[in-house]
Amino acid sequence: MAKLISKTYGEALFELSVEEATAATMLEEVTGIRQVLCDNPDYLRFLTHPRIPAEDKVKTTEKIFTGQVSKELVGFLQVIILKGRCDALFEILDYFILRMKEYKGIGVAYITTPQILNEEKKEKIREKLLCTTSFKEMEMHYDINPDLLGGMQIRIGDRVVDSSIQTKLNQLQRELLELQV
C-alpha cells in the first residue's frame, strides 16, 4: 500500500514538474525538503501526530516553506497533509527523486566490496557501468562488507549483479548438496 501511495503522489509531482518545465529546480527543492525532514525529526512527528488538526499542519508548513520553495511544491505538501499522507512523505519524496534522476539519465549504483577501493578502480567501475547501461551519468554509492571475501555486488534499481566470492561459494555448496541427494 505504501508503495502505491508513494508512486501515485511522487508521479503526480514528477508530471507537474515536467509539465511546468521546472524539473531541475523541483529536484533541488525536493532534495532540500527531504534534508529538512531528516534534520528536524520533531517537524515530521508534528506532521504525523494524529491529534494535531490538519489546518495547523498546513499553516505551519506554509510558514516554513513559503518563499523557500516554489508555490507548486508548497501546494503539493498541503495536499499531502490534507489527505493524511504525511506518514509516507519520505517514500513519496524518494520516489520523486529517483524518478527525476531516471528522467535526467542519472543512474544510481550501490556497490558493495570487501575492502575500500581506490579512486582509479572506482572510476573504472563508473565507466563500465556507463558503457553497459543507457545512463548519461552515474551516482555511485560504495559500501564495505568483509564477508564478501572478494568480488563485488552492484545494485542499480531492481537489478543486482553479484560476482562476490561468497555468493559463488554458496552456489557451489547448493550444487554439491543437490548432487548428494
Side-chain angles (χ1 to χ4, degrees):
M1 180 73 169
K3 198 169 191 172
L4 179 62
I5 291 168
S6 63
K7 182 178 180 185
T8 302
Y9 286 93
E11 191 67 31
L13 183 59
F14 170 76
E15 289 175 10
L16 173 69
S17 64
V18 170
E19 185 179 302
E20 298 287 324
T22 59
T25 307
M26 190 69 76
L27 178 59
E28 191 175 304
E29 290 177 354
V30 167
T31 304
I33 286 177
R34 191 183 188 296
Q35 191 59 51
V36 166
L37 292 172
C38 287
D39 294 344
N40 301 289
D42 289 339
Y43 176 62
L44 188 59
R45 278 193 291 277
F46 168 77
L47 289 177
T48 57
H49 198 285
R51 292 191 182 165
I52 298 173
E55 295 78 27
D56 293 346
K57 295 175 186 179
V58 167
K59 287 178 187 173
T60 302
T61 300
E62 285 175 351
K63 285 180 186 176
I64 293 171
F65 292 113
T66 300
Q68 304 298 317
V69 297
S70 65
K71 63 180 181 165
E72 291 83 8
L73 190 51
V74 172
F76 179 78
L77 291 172
Q78 291 171 341
V79 169
I80 297 290
I81 293 166
L82 293 173
K83 295 289 185 179
R85 299 297 188 198
C86 291
D87 57 330
L89 191 53
F90 270 114
E91 291 84 5
I92 293 167
L93 299 178
D94 287 344
Y95 178 89
F96 171 81
I97 291 168
L98 284 174
R99 184 71 171 90
M100 190 57 71
K101 285 180 180 179
E102 178 184 293
Y103 173 74
K104 295 176 81 177
I106 302 170
V108 180
Y110 297 89
I111 293 97
T112 306
T113 58
Q115 60 190 10
I116 296 172
L117 299 175
N118 62 34
E119 291 305 314
E120 182 182 329
K121 287 184 181 180
K122 288 180 179 180
E123 184 59 27
K124 284 183 182 179
I125 293 169
R126 189 184 75 73
E127 288 175 10
K128 184 71 170 175
L129 290 175
L130 285 172
C131 289
T132 58
T133 64
S134 60
F135 297 113
K136 299 173 194 165
E137 295 177 45
M138 288 303 285
E139 182 180 302
M140 309 292 279
H141 300 274
Y142 293 93
D143 191 27
I144 308 299
N145 181 354
D147 294 338
L148 294 180
L149 302 177
M152 71 179 69
Q153 296 172 334
I154 300 173
R155 182 174 59 85
I156 301 174
D158 294 338
R159 294 179 23 203
V160 176
V161 176
D162 189 343
S163 65
S164 66
I165 292 174
Q166 185 61 50
T167 298
K168 290 178 182 180
L169 287 172
N170 289 342
Q171 284 177 312
L172 183 60
Q173 181 182 18
R174 279 193 298 273
E175 290 173 11
L176 288 172
L177 287 172
E178 287 176 10
L179 288 175
Q180 290 179 356
V181 174

